[in-house]
Amino acid sequence: MSPSSDRLDAATLLRLSARSPRYTSYPTAPAWSADVDPAALTAGMRRIHAPASVYVHVPFCAEQCSFCACNQVVAGRRDAGDRYLDAIERQLMGLPLPADTLAVQRIHLGGGTPTWLDDRQLTRLLATLDRRFRREPGAELSAEVDPEITTDGQVELLAGLGATRLSMGVQSFDPAVLEAVGRPQRAERIGAILRRARALGMTGLNIDLMYGLPRQDRRAFQADLDRTIALAPDRLAIFGYAHVPWLKPHQKRLEPYGLQSADDRLELFLLAHDRLRAAGYVPIGFDHFARPDDALAKAAEAGRLHRNFMGYTTLPEVELIGLGMSAITELRGAFFQQESKLSRWWRAVEEGPERGSVGPIEKGILLTRDDRIRQDVIRRIMCSLQVDWVEVASRWGIDPEAYFADDLARLAPLEALGIVRREPTRLFVPERGRLVVRNVAMAFDAWLQARKASGPETSPRFSSSI
């Protein structure tokens, strides 16, 4: 497929790619509070609807990549893993779930690097989860893996434990780029893991690439895309490097190399879209791609795509239970995030109550009815590029034109650019607007609009959307 002749010009794309939320979920993160009522969260956990989804955060990494913005800890001693699993088990057995064993549709191991854990520890972790969660027939067990430290034996072990999908954070194949960001990585390991996972029956295999890194010119990124396409992963995620040193001070190590300009980042972003679509990948949202026969592409085509804190998913609107340091739990009426500093998380779990606790909470939010209505609309925009107002009216008992009068008025400049279209029964984002769909979603974010109205000093800080 050739580049779209209807694409917005570069100047407009750059202007619209101002810093904005990623909308992995709603509401905007700065609306969260450290004073959220733990009793309300406990009550929400006791009402959780099955089947649910589970996320386990394993924070350990062998090394710290300079670009990383994840909640991770560099560790070499294996006893740190045992202590962490002790705490996970204590927290898990004390969760106030509505049943001793709760049915789940998905378990995802993220991090950090879950395969930092050795075979015994990985086996223990899954056995611990299986004591409280009952995997539904066809349930997905997925894990994020670092291709450099993940062995073929670990891939086989994960398959034996029921893993159905792997995701690899490759970021780049270029030796000069990898040296600059402090990431030791051999290209042959990436292909070996993909081949072994396929041979073991895994599907939905994903590779993450990153643009905007030091020393990453057009030639280097073109080569990254070509090598990735040759490996034929089922899915790809293309992320722009987010330089947020106010949150992750170690990223300052990249500043001597010079940060890419907005024009350079845009060139790479568009190159990825054009190259992957020409190779037959289907765009999912604004930064994900999948082969047409992959479950993610099929879910998008059927209008069943969903989005949560882990990104795009084939699951319907199920609640998400987060376990471990910094993990986020997403209920139908609340979000909460656990303590993000490992030492404080450890201490709180080890010294806290054994039963009836949701865990050491750093911040959270209880959703109002208005929050949930807007959450629904934003998800529809981000997943389906459209909102069916008849469905929204039926689900929430509102007149959308009246309820969102101010929000729809904010879309007028985007309508003039052809980024969004208003029709009698729906709001529609054409292909022209896909790359800046976040701008459409922002119009319905009441928390973000309130902060913008309060002045620049209260506006949240986000990474650029391109």
Side-chain angles (χ1 to χ4, degrees):
M1 181 181 295
S2 61
S4 172
S5 60
D6 191 37
R7 177 181 287 162
L8 293 168
D9 62 89
T12 302
L13 281 171
L14 285 173
R15 176 169 58 83
L16 293 174
S17 69
R19 298 175 184 271
S20 61
R22 292 197 64 82
Y23 291 116
T24 49
S25 199
Y26 179 83
T28 302
W32 293 31
S33 169
D35 300 323
V36 66
D37 181 7
L41 300 181
T42 299
M45 185 73 80
R46 287 180 175 142
R47 293 192 301 267
I48 200 165
H49 296 75
S53 179
V54 177
Y55 171 78
V56 184
H57 190 77
V58 181
F60 304 112
C61 287
E63 301 191 43
Q64 184 179 65
C65 303
S66 300
F67 59 76
C68 185
C70 298
N71 285 299
Q72 56 83 231
V73 176
V74 175
R77 295 177 55 182
R78 292 295 154 188
D79 57 354
D82 288 321
R83 183 184 176 190
Y84 192 77
L85 294 180
D86 287 343
I88 287 284
E89 183 170 5
R90 181 181 176 92
Q91 180 185 44
L92 183 58
M93 295 307 156
L95 283 181
L97 299 176
D100 290 338
T101 55
L102 186 72
V104 296
Q105 293 187 32
R106 171 174 294 160
I107 297 175
H108 181 74
L109 310 182
T113 309
T115 48
W116 179 93
L117 299 174
D118 62 26
D119 289 4
R120 176 185 59 81
Q121 291 167 334
L122 282 169
T123 302
R124 178 188 171 190
L125 174 57
L126 268 299
T128 299
L129 293 172
D130 286 340
R131 284 201 292 275
R132 292 246 43 198
F133 301 118
R134 183 181 71 258
R135 292 184 235 174
E136 294 254 289
E140 178 180 289
L141 170 59
S142 56
E144 299 168 15
V145 301
D146 177 347
E148 185 60 28
I149 73 166
T150 304
T151 67
D152 288 351
Q154 283 179 311
V155 177
E156 292 166 6
L157 174 68
L158 286 168
L161 294 171
T164 57
R165 194 174 75 83
L166 299 181
S167 178
M168 282 190 288
V170 172
Q171 319 313 349
S172 178
F173 291 89
D174 189 272
V177 174
L178 294 172
E179 180 187 39
V181 301
R183 183 181 181 88
Q185 182 168 277
R186 294 166 294 167
E188 59 266 24
R189 286 302 305 150
I190 299 165
I193 290 173
L194 281 175
R195 288 191 295 273
R196 192 71 195 119
R198 285 197 185 102
L200 292 165
M202 295 189 196
T203 59
L205 300 173
N206 178 77
I207 282 180
D208 292 346
L209 290 180
M210 188 173 287
Y211 64 90
L213 294 171
R215 297 177 174 171
Q216 191 182 50
D217 56 16
R218 181 184 176 91
R219 178 205 57 79
F221 192 56
Q222 172 76 63
D224 284 343
L225 292 168
D226 290 344
R227 294 193 72 163
T228 301
I229 291 168
L231 291 171
D234 302 300
R235 304 174 187 178
L236 290 114
I238 309 295
F239 298 118
Y241 165 61
H243 191 62
V244 288
W246 57 89
L247 296 176
K248 302 294 179 180
H250 64 267
Q251 291 186 340
K252 292 179 181 178
R253 298 200 297 261
L254 297 182
E255 292 177 0
Y257 293 99
L259 301 177
Q260 286 194 9
S261 68
D263 294 270
D264 290 338
R265 288 171 62 94
L266 177 61
E267 180 183 13
L268 300 186
F269 180 68
L270 297 180
L271 174 63
H273 272 261
D274 292 341
R275 184 71 185 89
L276 292 173
R277 295 181 75 167
Y281 284 89
V282 176
I284 308 293
F286 61 98
D287 57 3
H288 284 60
F289 297 83
R291 299 179 69 87
D293 58 350
D294 182 75
L296 199 66
K298 291 180 179 178
E301 184 179 15
R304 294 184 287 102
L305 200 65
H306 187 61
R307 190 166 172 85
N308 60 22
F309 285 105
M310 294 183 289
Y312 287 107
T313 170
T314 58
L315 287 181
E317 189 175 349
V318 300
E319 293 171 289
L320 172 66
I321 300 168
L323 298 168
M325 159 196 161
S326 79
I328 291 172
T329 292
E330 179 179 343
L331 307 177
R332 294 188 181 178
F335 299 118
F336 58 93
Q337 182 173 26
Q338 294 190 40
E339 177 61 59
S340 58
K341 186 172 178 59
L342 181 58
S343 60
R344 291 198 296 263
W345 181 85
W346 253 332
R347 184 167 58 251
V349 174
E350 292 170 345
E351 298 176 359
E354 292 189 23
R355 301 293 299 177
S357 172
V358 296
I361 303 305
E362 182 175 87
K363 58 185 179 180
I365 184 169
L366 302 179
L367 302 186
T368 65
R369 173 177 162 80
D370 181 62
D371 288 333
R372 295 190 65 192
I373 292 172
R374 292 175 182 278
Q375 177 190 45
D376 183 29
V377 169
I378 287 174
R379 279 183 174 155
R380 290 169 187 259
I381 292 169
M382 295 297 295
C383 294
S384 303
L385 302 185
Q386 64 177 318
V387 182
D388 185 324
W389 292 127
V390 176
E391 292 181 359
V392 171
S394 175
R395 181 176 186 183
W396 297 104
I398 62 172
D399 175 357
E401 285 286 338
Y403 194 93
F404 294 113
D406 292 340
D407 312 271
L408 293 169
R410 278 192 288 271
L411 291 175
L414 301 183
E415 282 189 86
L417 292 169
I419 292 170
V420 64
R421 296 175 187 166
R422 291 176 59 184
E423 299 177 355
T425 61
R426 70 169 183 163
L427 183 76
F428 173 61
V429 179
E431 192 61 31
R432 178 181 179 85
R434 177 184 293 276
L435 302 185
V436 289
V437 66
R438 287 160 65 173
N439 296 71
V440 180
M442 286 167 64
F444 296 90
D445 187 339
W447 291 99
L448 181 63
Q449 298 303 328
R451 278 162 174 72
K452 291 169 70 173
S454 298
E457 67 280 357
T458 64
S459 295
R461 300 176 75 178
F462 300 108
S463 60
S464 174
S465 57
I466 293 179

